[in-house]
């Protein structure tokens, strides 16, 4: 009797056991898979549970059913892995913000080393992430650079990331990573960034400071932690009822003209705001133009990423830096090192800086 993973539903635990045997070539490519009857006997499970487990593997492309013949391990699992010169790159967004710079940094390194980039987009949605990861598992890639989706929330796709590791395909996370995975990453110290932003506001005489943070990404959580820690270290209180939290799904509604009265009510007693990023800071400035408040006369703003957006308005934004192209370059160089040397590890944290501009008023 084999012991299954007790933390998973029984059919998923059985599927996981089969996967491990495929990855270590106990069940070899092109060979017939263990039968449903054998699974039932080995694990004391029902036929329905065995069928569910096999169905999971079929959807993920690990096995193939042949009419009148049986179920076989997919031929993508060959004993010798060949170099395809393709690297998968998965990001949450692709717009005019920091992502083009990151992608440019990645592609410059990869192309100069003869590699192609396979770009995929998740829109920061879990289902999209699963779909894109499964697609890349079935394709011929040598490595994966990925920005995690909803990195602050429990993620049901960790099993797929583990499949990349089981197949010897290196993965490097950028901007964030899942703490429950023992993974390689290139990120920014967002907690320190939160402290830098808050400390500067305090140094300029502000004490009634609030924040706008994104709760479904770890960056937002860490920036909030830095903000809170700095406030407490400076013996200043924080009215948590004034903190504005938003997610991928409700951002548009939160920062709409219709919701402006609610936002103004929350900001009524504050003189300064730590904004999750430059995009949110710009949206807030546009909304405030429909009220009697203005930046920085009535409200001072500090944001994150030091993107091109920080300098396009009539009031330029004081903003915490993001390495952009440099982050992409280091991630790409690291994935190539990992392909050459499977024991190579990268756990790099960039030190942020604060770029002071016009959006903060000295009290």
């Amino acid at each position: 009797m084999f012991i299954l993973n007790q933390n998973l539903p029984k059919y998923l635990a059985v599927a996981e056991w089969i996967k491990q045997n495929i990855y270590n070539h106990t069940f070899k490519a092109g060979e017939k898979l263990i039968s449903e009857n054998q699974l039932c006997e080995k694990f004391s499970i029902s036929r329905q549970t065995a069928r569910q487990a096999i169905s999971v593997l079929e959807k993920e492309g690990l096995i193939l059913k042949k009419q009148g013949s049986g179920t076989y391990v997919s031929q993508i699992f060959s004993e010798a892995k060949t170099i395809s010169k393709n690297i998968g790159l998965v990001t949450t967004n692709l717009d005019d913000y920091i992502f083009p710079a990151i992608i440019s940094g990645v592609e410059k390194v990869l192309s100069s080393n003869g590699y192609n980039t396979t770009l995929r987009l998740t829109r920061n949605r879990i289902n999209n992430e699963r779909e894109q990861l499964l697609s890349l598992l079935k394709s011929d890639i040598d490595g994966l650079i990925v920005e995690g989706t909803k990195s602050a929330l429990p993620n049901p796709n960790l099993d797929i990331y583990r499949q990349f590791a089981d197949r010897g395909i290196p993965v490097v996370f950028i901007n964030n990573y899942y703490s429950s995975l023992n993974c390689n990453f290139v990120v920014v110290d967002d907690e320190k960034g939160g402290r830098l932003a808050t400390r500067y506001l305090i140094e300029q005489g502000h004490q009634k400071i609030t924040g706008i943070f994104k709760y479904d990404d770890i960056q937002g959580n860490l920036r909030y932690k830095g903000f809170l820690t700095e406030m407490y270290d400076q013996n200043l209180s924080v009215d948590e009822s004034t903190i504005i939290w938003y997610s991928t799904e409700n951002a548009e509604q939160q920062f709409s003209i219709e919701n402006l009265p609610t936002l103004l009510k929350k900001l009524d007693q504050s003189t300064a705001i730590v904004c999750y990023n430059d995009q949110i800071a710009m949206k807030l400035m546009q909304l405030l133009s429909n009220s009697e408040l203005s930046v920085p006369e009535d409200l001072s703003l500090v944001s994150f990423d030091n993107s091109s957006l920080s300098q396009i308005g009539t009031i330029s934004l004081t903003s915490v830096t993001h390495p952009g192209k440099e982050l992409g370059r280091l991630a790409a160089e690291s994935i190539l090192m990992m392909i050459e040397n499977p024991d190579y590890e990268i756990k790099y944290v960039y030190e942020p800086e604060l770029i002071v501009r016009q959006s903060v008023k000295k009290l």
Side-chain angles (χ1 to χ4, degrees), residues 273-293:
I273 308 170
V274 176
C275 295
Y276 172 72
N277 63 16
D278 294 341
Q279 282 183 323
I280 292 302
M282 289 298 295
K283 285 184 179 181
L284 183 61
M285 289 175 69
Q286 291 168 2
L287 283 174
L288 292 176
S289 67
N290 294 282
S291 72
E292 296 180 354
L293 301 178

Side-chain angles (χ1 to χ4, degrees), residues 2 4 13-40 42-43 50 53-54 57 61-64 71-80 166-167:
F2 291 82
L4 295 175
V14 173
E16 196 68 29
W17 176 83
I18 297 173
K19 288 177 190 178
Q20 294 305 318
N21 280 278
I22 291 174
Y23 298 149
N24 64 25
H25 301 295
T26 299
F27 301 153
K28 294 181 173 57
E31 290 187 354
K32 201 166 188 177
L33 187 68
I34 184 172
S35 70
E36 290 180 6
N37 286 337
Q38 289 173 310
L39 287 173
C40 292
K42 182 181 291 290
F43 297 113
I54 289 174
L57 302 172
L62 304 184
I63 61 174
L64 299 170
T71 304
Y72 294 81
V73 178
S74 173
Q75 289 286 359
I76 63 173
F77 295 96
S78 59
E79 292 290 340
D166 290 336
R167 297 188 194 184

Side-chain angles (χ1 to χ4, degrees), residues 195-220:
R195 296 197 67 153
L196 286 174
T198 309
R199 187 180 307 150
Y200 179 70
L201 289 171
I202 295 170
E203 289 171 349
Q204 300 309 301
H206 295 273
Q207 295 189 359
K208 295 180 179 179
I209 307 171
T210 189
I212 300 175
F213 301 103
K214 196 166 186 280
Y215 67 77
D216 55 356
D217 288 338
I218 196 63
Q219 297 98 305

Side-chain angles (χ1 to χ4, degrees), residues 96-113:
D96 294 329
Y97 195 48
I98 60 173
F99 297 100
I102 295 173
I103 293 168
S104 174
V106 169
E107 291 187 328
K108 184 175 182 179
V109 171
L110 295 182
S111 62
S112 66
N113 284 274

Side-chain angles (χ1 to χ4, degrees), residues 35-172:
S35 70
E36 290 180 6
N37 286 337
Q38 289 173 310
L39 287 173
C40 292
E41 182 177 344
K42 182 181 291 290
F43 297 113
S44 298
I45 59 175
S46 67
R47 286 290 291 272
Q48 178 63 23
T49 299
R51 285 171 184 165
Q52 283 181 291
I54 289 174
S55 177
V56 168
L57 302 172
E58 186 179 16
K59 287 178 181 177
E60 294 183 4
L62 304 184
I63 61 174
L64 299 170
K65 285 187 175 180
K66 297 181 180 179
Q67 184 108 19
S69 178
T71 304
Y72 294 81
V73 178
S74 173
Q75 289 286 359
I76 63 173
F77 295 96
S78 59
E79 292 290 340
K81 187 181 187 305
T82 58
I83 300 297
S84 69
K85 290 287 185 176
N86 291 316
I87 302 294
L89 174 58
V90 179
T91 67
T92 55
N93 286 289
L94 180 60
D95 51 24
D96 294 329
Y97 195 48
I98 60 173
F99 297 100
I102 295 173
I103 293 168
S104 174
V106 169
E107 291 187 328
K108 184 175 182 179
V109 171
L110 295 182
S111 62
S112 66
N113 284 274
Y115 280 79
N116 299 310
T117 306
T118 302
L119 182 61
R120 300 295 173 86
L121 195 62
T122 69
R123 298 291 182 192
N124 208 34
R125 285 175 167 77
I126 294 294
N127 287 339
N128 290 350
E129 181 187 49
R130 190 170 191 86
E131 179 181 329
Q132 299 298 353
L133 291 176
L134 286 173
S135 174
L136 288 169
L137 267 177
K138 296 175 185 177
S139 64
D140 195 13
I141 63 171
D142 300 322
L144 176 66
I145 300 171
V146 59
E147 180 185 37
T149 295
K150 286 187 168 60
S151 52
L153 304 180
N155 191 298
N157 298 331
L158 300 187
D159 62 313
I160 307 180
Y161 285 110
R162 293 188 181 102
Q163 288 183 46
F164 281 100
D166 290 336
R167 297 188 194 184
I169 300 173
V171 178
V172 173

